[in-house]
Amino acid sequence: MQKKNNYHFETRAIHEGETGDGWSGATLPPIFQSAAHYHESAESLSKTFAGETQDHIYMRLSNPTNRFLEQKLAALESGAGAVATGSGMAAINNACMTLLRSGDEFVASRSLFMSSYTLFTTIFKKYGIRVRLVDPLNLDDIEQAINEKTRFVYMETITNPGMEIADIKQIAQISHTKGIPLMIDNTLASPWLCRPIELGADIVLHSTTKYLSGHGGALGGVVVDAGNFDWTRERFSDFAPFVEQRGRLAFLHRLFKEIHVNFGTTPAPLHSYLTAIGLNTLGLRMERHMENAIRVADFLKDQPKVEWVNFPGFEDHGCHEMAKTQFCNKGFGAMLTFGLKDQAACFKFIDHLDMILNIANLGDCKTLIIHPYSSQYISFSPALKNKLADPQLLRFSLGVEHAEDICNDVAQALEAI
Ligand SMILES: Cc1ncc(COP(=O)(O)O)c(C=O)c1O
């Protein structure tokens, strides 16, 4: 079916993607639950192995349901191509491993999702790779951390739990002036709120487990390649064979051939199917997520037992203006953090909630809360834990329920502490 490319995002989120041949007119992608694909002739299989056709061979390499999701996500992120993975962490690892060799460096925000932080500072270190952590809001800091060994800059659109919003346009300019690509984990914003490629980023990553699938029912990730970066630069001379084969899509091609296939990071097609269905309502859900975050942040601010609230939607928040500009006045994200007196108060508050769930996830249609200090950061050293989290802090991921019900649940749990 031919699609007009001037539809609004919400329409494209539903209609983007081909309805494939052999789908018997189905309006949803079938779940192709087959480990391998039959070829009519030895020549056909040989040509597909040689990359001369887009046919499928074996599920670890590609699968029609996964490909449907990849095409849809590439289009929604304004990218030229995408590789779907079994988790967000697989996407992050794949993207970094495609670029990094022993002795290389990269620059990353010091405020990162906990597993990304561990991967960058501990796991990569074992292989002789150095990450230079920087303040995502300090452009000079970012520029100065880049040297001749740096292979890329890595940022999150909205940091968690810091709630900081980096200037993607400026950081892309700095990276490009230095001849390196910018990689953005766009999980907390979703392409509804922010499309980093349109701001100059080169590679966009997601944990699709969150807003994209939307219902807490599927695990997944994706790497989207803008197809804009010039990989013929001297610094990336090791990309030459991939440039020769795929030109501007050299990065995605290398990621697929070297890392994705050999590390086995393919998603199960059921998860891609669930994620593709979730995307249909992304626009609607994000609108409600954003509205609820504003309503609940305002409510929390007025509660005497709440010591502070960190939400970029507040006019006096350091990233408020950046959020308004970068997110085109559509919202401020649907995550916030707030502080109670101490850890005991946080535990009591959580234990008295009726509807809001104490869960280690975010971006679900349900409202979720967590005390990161005693959960996600529990195995970090006390010094690092105190640097990255705060025993007073609770992290809220606002769902799409009625805002009044969320506020009422918060109010009754606050009364109990
Ligand atoms: C910003 C961010 N990136 C990546 C991930 C990892 O995603 P997954 O759990 O799908 O591996 C998460 C998970 O919470 C996240 O919040």
Side-chain angles (χ1 to χ4, degrees):
M1 201 191 307
Q2 194 68 34
K3 299 292 173 208
K4 287 184 187 158
N5 56 15
N6 58 354
Y7 286 141
H8 290 86
F9 181 89
E10 289 77 359
T11 311
R12 290 176 50 231
I14 294 169
H15 291 282
E16 200 70 69
E18 294 165 1
T19 43
D21 295 338
W23 288 19
S24 302
T27 56
L28 291 171
I31 303 164
F32 282 87
Q33 192 62 38
S34 177
H37 294 256
Y38 170 73
H39 283 246
E40 290 285 349
S41 68
E43 191 187 1
S44 159
L45 186 57
S46 169
K47 278 188 168 168
T48 307
F49 263 106
E52 289 172 30
T53 86
Q54 291 294 302
D55 294 339
H56 302 281
I57 298 172
Y58 183 67
M59 198 196 283
R60 178 159 44 75
L61 280 59
S62 70
N63 166 279
T65 318
N66 294 344
R67 185 171 292 165
F68 175 84
L69 180 67
E70 288 168 344
Q71 287 172 346
K72 193 156 171 143
L73 287 174
L76 295 181
E77 273 292 4
S78 302
V83 169
T85 55
S87 71
M89 281 319 298
I92 293 167
N93 187 54
N94 282 2
C96 294
M97 292 288 279
T98 301
L99 280 157
L100 294 169
R101 302 151 309 171
S102 181
D104 282 341
E105 293 191 4
F106 66 109
V107 171
S109 161
R110 58 161 162 63
S111 186
L112 290 167
F113 167 59
M114 179 264 305
S115 286
S116 305
Y117 189 91
T118 306
L119 181 71
F120 293 179
T121 58
T122 313
I123 314 297
F124 286 166
K125 198 175 169 187
K126 289 201 302 185
Y127 301 97
I129 294 160
R130 173 168 180 186
V131 58
R132 288 183 188 263
L133 297 176
V134 293
D135 175 353
L137 305 182
N138 186 335
L139 298 177
D140 290 337
D141 205 10
I142 297 168
E143 189 166 4
Q144 278 161 25
I146 301 172
N147 60 38
E148 70 286 352
K149 290 185 182 167
T150 314
R151 297 276 279 188
F152 61 93
V153 175
Y154 184 101
M155 295 280 148
E156 294 179 0
T157 314
I158 305 173
T159 68
N160 158 25
M163 302 297 125
E164 297 154 314
I165 296 159
D167 187 335
I168 296 176
K169 227 182 216 171
Q170 295 264 18
I171 299 172
Q173 265 170 24
I174 292 171
S175 309
H176 295 160
T177 305
K178 298 277 187 181
I180 55 174
L182 173 63
M183 209 183 277
I184 299 283
D185 179 340
N186 197 32
T187 301
L188 262 64
S190 91
W192 180 84
L193 188 63
C194 180
R195 286 183 291 283
I197 288 174
E198 293 176 11
L199 298 168
D202 303 284
I203 297 148
V204 172
L205 313 168
H206 278 281
S207 163
T208 60
T209 316
K210 312 296 186 309
Y211 295 108
L212 300 185
S213 71
H215 299 82
L219 192 77
V222 72
V223 182
V224 181
D225 186 348
N228 292 331
F229 192 78
D230 180 6
W231 299 100
T232 61
R233 291 162 192 272
E234 177 60 27
R235 190 186 298 245
F236 297 101
S237 56
D238 53 309
F239 272 71
F242 302 95
V243 172
E244 202 174 298
Q245 286 164 24
R246 290 293 151 85
R248 292 270 169 154
L249 277 178
F251 170 80
L252 202 68
H253 183 50
R254 184 173 195 176
L255 179 143
F256 174 77
K257 291 282 275 191
E258 279 189 349
I259 311 293
H260 181 64
V261 164
N262 296 316
F263 279 66
T265 53
T266 306
L270 170 63
H271 291 244
S272 294
Y273 168 81
L274 291 170
T275 305
I277 291 188
L279 285 174
N280 290 337
T281 55
L282 179 66
L284 261 182
R285 284 186 286 107
M286 291 311 286
E287 264 178 49
R288 176 65 87 91
H289 279 298
M290 303 289 127
E291 268 173 41
N292 280 356
I294 293 169
R295 285 275 301 272
V296 174
D298 284 341
F299 175 80
L300 282 168
K301 206 161 66 167
D302 293 338
Q303 304 306 307
K305 287 180 184 167
V306 173
E307 309 228 327
W308 51 263
V309 183
N310 183 5
F311 178 58
F314 293 147
E315 276 179 20
D316 60 356
H317 190 281
C319 296
H320 183 73
E321 289 306 318
M322 178 48 61
K324 272 170 63 179
T325 317
Q326 196 152 269
F327 303 156
C328 306
N329 288 315
K330 286 174 87 181
F332 304 95
M335 303 273 299
L336 61 83
T337 58
F338 64 100
L340 296 179
K341 194 166 132 259
D342 51 25
Q343 177 165 321
C346 291
F347 274 32
K348 217 166 177 187
F349 175 78
I350 287 176
D351 292 347
H352 279 88
L353 288 166
D354 279 335
M355 175 194 75
I356 297 165
L357 298 171
N358 178 27
I359 277 188
N361 194 12
L362 57 91
D364 194 313
C365 58
K366 301 183 178 80
T367 295
L368 313 176
I369 197 157
I370 194 161
H371 181 250
Y373 187 85
S374 65
S375 56
Q376 292 149 318
Y377 293 96
I378 192 89
S379 52
F380 282 37
S381 73
L384 189 55
K385 197 159 66 160
N386 284 321
K387 200 170 113 189
L388 299 174
D390 173 349
Q392 276 196 311
L393 179 151
L394 286 166
R395 191 193 76 189
F396 237 152
S397 168
L398 281 311
V400 299
E401 302 96 337
H402 198 292
E404 223 170 82
D405 293 327
I406 304 170
C407 293
N408 286 342
D409 199 16
V410 170
Q412 64 80 24
L414 281 174
E415 253 174 50
I417 65 175

